[in-house]
Amino acid sequence: AQTVTQSQPEMSVQEAETVTLSCTYDTSESDYYLFWYKQPPSRQMILVIRQEAYKQQNATENRFSVNFQKAAKSFSLKISDSQLGDAAMYFCAYLDSSYKLIFGSGTRLLVRP
Amino acid sequence: DGGITQSPKYLFRKEGQNVTLSCEQNLNHDAMYWYRQDPGQGLRLIYYSQIVNDFQKGDIAEGYSVSREKKESFPLTVTSAQKNPTAFYLCASSRRGRGTGELFFGEGSRLTVL
């Protein structure tokens, strides 16, 4: 069974600085999707960024980018120029071949003004 | 606007009672999902459905039941057999097949057992 591990329960970053959230996963599949979702205090899940495993190029969305290392099964999220509105829980997720989305335990990001 | 609507947002239940959480989507998505979230934890999959009249158990299906009689609707019943039902429940939908792989989420329902 696939698993997703986020080893950082909480991270803190100074406003305008850069922070990287870690995620590793375990799978025997070769084709899959990986995601980072953001959950602010409102509890609404918001898609931050998506990566298809067959693409070697790392995905980017404005201030958000990933470092996808397929061989190492690593999928970290980098947030540049951090803003107060980035404070939230961040979940790494893996979409398997049966279309189940499996989540990590989350990382709480604190942004210091 | 297209989206996913969950109701009620807050629900209180006495021990021993069944309760049904509603999830409706107008995104024309084939696949729908129910997740449970406990404080400080990630989301765990309860049930999911790829097409009408078909659904599969997720990782924590015991004590829950679902139906998928219509494409737009995927209600979740929390039965009295669920030992610890107090939690936040999230419904999601996606296009069938891998597509973009993205799940769209509702705003959630918080269930409290008194």
Side-chain angles (χ1 to χ4, degrees):
Chain A
Q2 294 87 359
T3 58
V4 178
T5 301
Q6 293 178 250
S7 59
Q8 307 156 315
E10 186 172 287
M11 292 285 285
S12 179
V13 63
Q14 190 73 37
E15 192 176 6
E17 298 293 311
T18 295
V19 65
T20 298
L21 308 184
S22 300
C23 174
T24 59
Y25 58 95
D26 186 24
T27 184
S28 57
E29 298 177 332
S30 59
D31 184 24
Y32 48 87
Y33 287 85
L34 293 164
F35 304 85
W36 279 97
Y37 278 87
K38 170 184 178 181
Q39 188 179 43
S42 67
R43 307 296 293 269
Q44 179 78 47
M45 295 289 285
I46 302 165
L47 178 66
V48 175
I49 200 164
R50 168 181 51 237
Q51 175 80 44
E52 291 117 336
Y54 68 88
K55 290 187 177 179
Q56 293 186 335
Q57 186 174 7
N58 289 325
T60 62
E61 287 287 341
N62 300 313
R63 298 183 294 107
F64 298 87
S65 62
V66 299
N67 183 4
F68 174 49
Q69 302 289 329
K70 191 172 183 179
K73 296 178 183 175
S74 171
F75 183 60
S76 60
L77 175 69
K78 186 171 82 171
I79 305 174
S80 304
D81 185 26
S82 296
Q83 300 175 359
L84 295 178
D86 294 334
M89 285 290 290
Y90 286 82
F91 293 99
C92 178
Y94 172 100
L95 185 71
D96 72 10
S97 58
S98 61
Y99 316 126
K100 291 193 306 181
L101 190 63
I102 301 163
F103 286 85
S105 56
T107 296
R108 181 176 302 281
L109 179 65
L110 306 174
V111 181
R112 305 187 302 273
Chain B
D1 286 17
I4 300 175
T5 301
Q6 288 187 240
S7 63
K9 286 186 187 280
Y10 300 94
L11 185 62
F12 298 88
R13 184 194 99 176
K14 293 182 181 179
E15 282 193 30
Q17 288 181 335
N18 292 357
V19 62
T20 297
L21 307 180
S22 170
C23 179
E24 304 278 335
Q25 55 98 358
N26 60 5
L27 299 168
N28 199 33
H29 285 169
D30 288 295
M32 296 187 75
Y33 307 78
W34 274 106
Y35 286 88
R36 169 179 171 144
Q37 186 177 25
D38 293 286
Q41 297 188 29
L43 280 67
R44 293 184 290 168
L45 183 63
I46 305 172
Y47 270 99
Y48 64 111
S49 167
Q50 295 297 322
I51 55 173
V52 175
N53 293 322
D54 188 40
F55 48 83
Q56 290 79 39
K57 292 182 179 180
D59 300 319
I60 56 166
E62 184 175 353
Y64 299 97
S65 66
V66 293
S67 63
R68 187 83 188 279
E69 298 176 0
K70 297 188 300 182
K71 186 176 184 178
E72 303 79 20
S73 179
F74 191 42
L76 173 74
T77 296
V78 185
T79 75
S80 56
Q82 169 50 234
K83 299 302 181 188
N84 185 20
T86 294
F88 187 67
Y89 292 88
L90 280 162
C91 178
S93 71
S94 71
R95 291 185 292 184
R96 189 183 179 190
R98 304 304 285 275
T100 64
E102 179 182 355
L103 265 64
F104 293 81
F105 286 85
E107 295 185 342
S109 295
R110 176 170 297 285
L111 172 63
T112 302
V113 174
L114 303 174

